[in-house]
C-alpha cells in the first residue's frame, strides 16, 4: 500500500519550480533534433555521425538514472536536483564552444547525464507529496510543462540554429538551468519513508526483486525505443527533402502542442477511465501517427503525426509513469530512476540503430517499423496493467 510518512508537505500539483526545471530539461533534450543536419554540415561530418550528439545524450540521460535515483532516496530529492542542474549548466555552456564532433559528443553526454536527474526526480517528488487518488492529474501537469519545453525546443531550436547559430540553442538551456538551481533553494524536501537513508543494496534489492517493477521497466524501454528513438527523425525526414531546419523544427512543434493539449484531456479522464483504457488510446495514436508518415513524408503529414504522437505519449506514458510511482513506494526514487533509465536507454539504442536508415533516406521503412512495434507494446501494456489492477492488495 502506498502510505507516506506524515508531513506538512501535501500537494495536489507540482511546485512551480519543478515545472520550470522540467520545461528546461525537455528544451535541452529536444532542441538538438532539428539541428542535426546543420551540425553535420558545420563540423564536416555525415548525418549518421552527427546523430551521436543526440544518441550519446539520450544514452547518458538514461544510464545515469539509477545513480540519481539512489542518491535522491539517500540524500534528498531537492539537494540532488540542484547539484545536477549546476553541473548541467556548466556542461551545456561548454557544449556551445566545442569545435569538433568528438568534443561536442563528450560535452553533450555530460549535459545529458546531469539533466537526466531533473524530470525523474520531479516525478518522484510528486509521488512523495501527492496522494494516489489525484497523482496522475499532478503527473499530467508536470507532463504539460515538459510538453511546452518540447514544443518551444523543436520550434525555437530550429529557428535559432537556422537563422542564428546552432550553438546558441545549447547556451539558452544552460543559462536557464543555472537559474532553476538557484530557484530550487526554497523548495522543501518531501516526506520520506521509514528506513530512508539506508544503503544502496537495500534500494536495489527492493526494486530489482519486484516482478511488476521489472515489467514496467521493460514497457518503458520499448516505449522509449519506439517513441523517443524514432520521433527525432521527423525533422531530418523533412530536411532530407530540402526543407530548411527552421521550417522542419516548426513542423514538429506540433508534437509539443499535442502533448500539452492532450495532457489536459488525460487529466480530465484519469479519474473516469481505467488505466488500461488510457493506455489503449495512447498506443493506438502512436501506431496511427507513425503509419501515416511511413506512407508519405510531407509537412502536413508530419504535423498530423506529431500531434498524434503527442496525444499517444500523453495517454500511454502518463499511465506508465503513474504505475511506476506506486509499484515500489518505499524505494520510489530508485524505481522512477530505473524507469527513466529504461525509457531513455531504449531511445538511445533505437536512434543509433535508425541512423543508417536515415542516412540513406529510408524513412518509410524506419517509421513503418515504429508503427508495427507499437501494436505489441500497446497490447502487453493494456493486458498486464489490467492484471496488476486485479491483484489482491
Amino acid at each position: 500500500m502506498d502510505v507516506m510518512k506524515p508531513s506538512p508537505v501535501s500537494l495536489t500539483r507540482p511546485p512551480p519550480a519543478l515545472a520550470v526545471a522540467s520545461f528546461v530539461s525537455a528544451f535541452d533534450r529536444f532542441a538538438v533534433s532539428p539541428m542535426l543536419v546543420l551540425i553535420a554540415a558545420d563540423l564536416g561530418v555525415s548525418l549518421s555521425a552527427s546523430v551521436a550528439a543526440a544518441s550519446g545524450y539520450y544514452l547518458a540521460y538514461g544510464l545515469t538514472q539509477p545513480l540519481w535515483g539512489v542518491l535522491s532516496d539517500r540524500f534528498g530529492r531537492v539537494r540532488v536536483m540542484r547539484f545536477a542542474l549546476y553541473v548541467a549548466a556548466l556542461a551545456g555552456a561548454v557544449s556551445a564552444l566545442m569545435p569538433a564532433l568528438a568534443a561536442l559528443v563528450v560535452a553533450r553526454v555530460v549535459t545529458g547525464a546531469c539533466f537526466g536527474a531533473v524530470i525523474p526526480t520531479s516525478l518522484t517528488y510528486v509521488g512523495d507529496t501527492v496522494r494516489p487518488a489525484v497523482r496522475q492529474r499532478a503527473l499530467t501537469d508536470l507532463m504539460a510543462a515538459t510538453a511546452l519545453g518540447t514544443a518551444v525546443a523543436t520550434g525555437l531550436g530550429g529557428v535559432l540554429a537556422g537563422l542564428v547559430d546552432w550553438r546558441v540553442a545549447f547556451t539558452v538551456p544552460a543559462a536557464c538551468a543555472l537559474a532553476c538551481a538557484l530557484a530550487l533553494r526554497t523548495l522543501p524536501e518531501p516526506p520520506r519513508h521509514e528506513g530512508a537513508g539506508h544503503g544502496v543494496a537495500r534500494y536495489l534489492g527492493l526494486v530489482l526483486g519486484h516482478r511488476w517493477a521489472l515489467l514496467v521497466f521493460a514497457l518503458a524501454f520499448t516505449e522509449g525505443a519506439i517513441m523517443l528513438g524514432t520521433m527525432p527523425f521527423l525533422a531530418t525526414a523533412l530536411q532530407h527533402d530540402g526543407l530548411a531546419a527552421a521550417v522542419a523544427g516548426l513542423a514538429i512543434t506540433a508534437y509539443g502542442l499535442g502533448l500539452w493539449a492532450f495532457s489536459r484531456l488525460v487529466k480530465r479522464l484519469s479519474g473516469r477511465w481505467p488505466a488500461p483504457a488510457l493506455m489503449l488510446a495512447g498506443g493506438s495514436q502512436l501506431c496511427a501517427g507513425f503509419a501515416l508518415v511511413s506512407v508519405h513524408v510531407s509537412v502536413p503529414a508530419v504535423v498530423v503525426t506529431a500531434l498524434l504522437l503527442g496525444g499517444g505519449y500523453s495517454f500511454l506514458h502518463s499511465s506508465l509513469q503513474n504505475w511506476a510511482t506506486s509499484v515500489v513506494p518505499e524505494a520510489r526514487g530508485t524505481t522512477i530512476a530505473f524507469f527513466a533509465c529504461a525509457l531513455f536507454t531504449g531511445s538511445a539504442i533505437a536512434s543509433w540503430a535508425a541512423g543508417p536508415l536515415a542516412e540513406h533516406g529510408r524513412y518509410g521503412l524506419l517509421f513503418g517499423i515504429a508503427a508495427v512495434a507499437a501494436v505489441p507494446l500497446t497490447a502487453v501494456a493494456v493486458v498486464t496493467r489490467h492484471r496488476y489492477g486485479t491483484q489482491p492488495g
Side-chain angles (χ1 to χ4, degrees):
M1 182 178 295
D2 193 358
V3 178
M4 296 185 295
K5 183 179 178 181
S7 168
V9 179
S10 182
L11 306 175
T12 58
R13 61 181 56 190
L18 285 190
V20 173
S22 297
F23 173 95
V24 174
S25 178
F27 183 99
D28 191 73
R29 190 166 79 248
F30 283 96
V32 73
S33 298
M35 298 192 299
L36 293 175
V37 172
L38 294 177
I39 290 174
D42 188 37
L43 299 182
V45 299
S46 66
L47 174 61
S48 59
S50 71
V51 169
S55 59
Y57 182 105
Y58 298 148
L59 189 61
Y61 193 111
L63 292 180
T64 56
Q65 299 303 314
L67 172 64
W68 294 124
V70 171
L71 290 176
S72 74
D73 275 335
R74 186 171 178 82
F75 298 110
R77 319 300 188 202
V78 180
R79 183 184 302 177
V80 165
M81 197 184 311
R82 291 188 66 222
F83 170 80
L85 282 168
Y86 279 127
V87 181
L90 177 61
V94 170
S95 297
L97 303 176
M98 293 298 97
L101 180 63
L104 174 64
V105 170
V106 171
R108 295 314 293 162
V109 165
V110 176
T111 308
C114 294
F115 265 123
V118 176
I119 292 178
T121 308
S122 299
L123 295 173
T124 305
Y125 194 99
V126 169
D128 288 340
T129 57
V130 178
R131 67 184 188 277
V134 296
R135 187 176 296 154
Q136 186 159 0
R137 297 179 183 178
L139 290 173
T140 57
D141 283 335
L142 202 61
M143 179 177 285
T146 303
L148 288 176
T150 302
V152 174
T154 52
L156 184 60
V159 171
L160 289 175
L163 301 182
V164 185
D165 190 277
W166 59 266
R167 299 178 187 278
V168 177
F170 290 147
T171 305
V172 172
C176 293
L178 178 60
C180 287
L182 296 173
L184 285 170
R185 289 179 299 178
T186 59
L187 187 68
E189 287 287 352
R192 306 176 73 186
H193 281 270
E194 296 295 340
H198 288 182
V200 171
R202 176 179 181 271
Y203 295 120
L204 294 178
L206 285 171
V207 173
L208 298 181
H210 199 292
R211 64 187 182 93
W212 287 110
L214 296 179
L215 171 65
V216 174
F217 301 156
L219 292 171
F221 178 92
T222 308
E223 182 196 30
I226 295 170
M227 174 68 193
L228 301 182
T230 308
M231 192 191 68
F233 293 100
L234 290 175
T236 61
L238 290 174
Q239 290 171 275
H240 180 81
D241 291 334
L243 206 64
V247 179
L250 288 173
I252 60 173
T253 299
Y255 166 75
L257 297 177
L259 187 60
W260 179 83
F262 279 104
S263 69
R264 304 292 87 195
L265 179 58
V266 172
K267 185 175 181 179
R268 289 175 175 270
L269 295 177
S270 61
R272 307 174 187 175
W273 287 19
L278 295 172
M279 291 176 168
L280 178 60
S284 299
Q285 290 176 82
L286 292 186
C287 183
F290 283 123
L292 176 62
V293 286
S294 71
V295 176
H296 177 65
V297 174
S298 64
V299 171
V302 166
V303 169
V304 173
T305 291
L307 287 171
L308 286 170
L309 296 185
Y313 201 63
S314 296
F315 278 86
L316 179 59
H317 189 67
S318 68
S319 300
L320 289 175
Q321 280 181 342
N322 193 37
W323 194 359
T325 63
S326 61
V327 69
V328 190
E330 60 270 34
R332 184 175 284 120
T334 303
T335 304
I336 294 296
F338 272 97
F339 175 84
C341 175
L343 181 77
F344 290 101
T345 301
S347 73
I349 292 175
S351 64
W352 171 78
L357 290 177
E359 180 72 19
H360 294 91
R362 303 186 68 184
Y363 291 103
L365 176 59
L366 172 58
F367 297 138
I369 292 172
V372 171
V375 176
L377 166 65
T378 304
V380 173
V382 169
V383 171
T384 55
R385 183 62 181 87
H386 173 72
R387 290 181 179 177
Y388 175 82
T390 61
Q391 293 294 306

